[in-house]
Amino acid sequence: MAVTLGGIALPDDIVWTDELDWEPVAQARARTLNGGQIIEETTLQGGRPITLGGGVWVPRSTVLSLRTLAATAAQTHTLDLRGDTYTVAFVRPNPIQAVPVIRYADPVPDDPHEITIRLITV
């Protein structure tokens, strides 16, 4: 199934690397003056991290398109991830990490980059 972010196609084999690391419940604990325990819990509304990567390569042109998408402040985007849809924002600083697979003095749009994209649900 397809993977897109803001209409930009990503590799189908991109991995949600922190999918199982998120806890959807927040908890606060405190002690009363007589030593009793107070525990408060609530379900979180958004804020789930979505880090996409896993060693996949994209062309330099895709990296530049993603950087343009991330260059606008206070914007949300639609992430379609193999049939699931999320409303996300870029995590700052450094929302997109792209490392050239081979470094060329004169890069072209097809040069491969290993990419990591950091997002958060809103």
Side-chain angles (χ1 to χ4, degrees):
M1 297 191 95
V3 179
T4 61
L5 174 60
I8 299 169
L10 299 174
D12 291 340
D13 59 345
I14 199 162
V15 176
W16 181 355
T17 59
D18 54 2
E19 180 179 10
L20 301 177
D21 295 341
W22 187 64
E23 176 62 48
V25 176
Q27 183 183 79
R29 295 178 287 156
R31 292 270 179 202
T32 64
L33 289 177
N34 67 0
Q37 180 80 33
I38 298 173
I39 300 173
E40 296 182 54
E41 291 186 335
T42 189
T43 302
L44 297 175
Q45 305 295 315
R48 183 177 188 177
I50 299 179
T51 304
L52 301 174
V56 297
W57 295 1
V58 298
R60 185 175 196 274
S61 59
T62 300
V63 174
L64 296 176
S65 295
L66 288 167
R67 290 181 55 82
T68 299
L69 190 67
T72 306
Q75 293 292 314
T76 60
H77 307 281
T78 300
L79 171 66
D80 291 313
L81 186 61
R82 291 181 275 283
D84 293 323
T85 302
Y86 303 92
T87 301
V88 297
F90 287 100
V91 173
R92 302 182 192 280
N94 304 318
I96 300 164
Q97 179 184 2
V99 179
V101 175
I102 302 171
R103 296 189 185 271
Y104 295 103
D106 190 18
V108 297
D110 288 337
D111 288 347
H113 286 64
E114 184 176 335
I115 193 163
T116 301
I117 306 167
R118 293 176 187 86
L119 306 165
I120 194 166
T121 60
V122 293

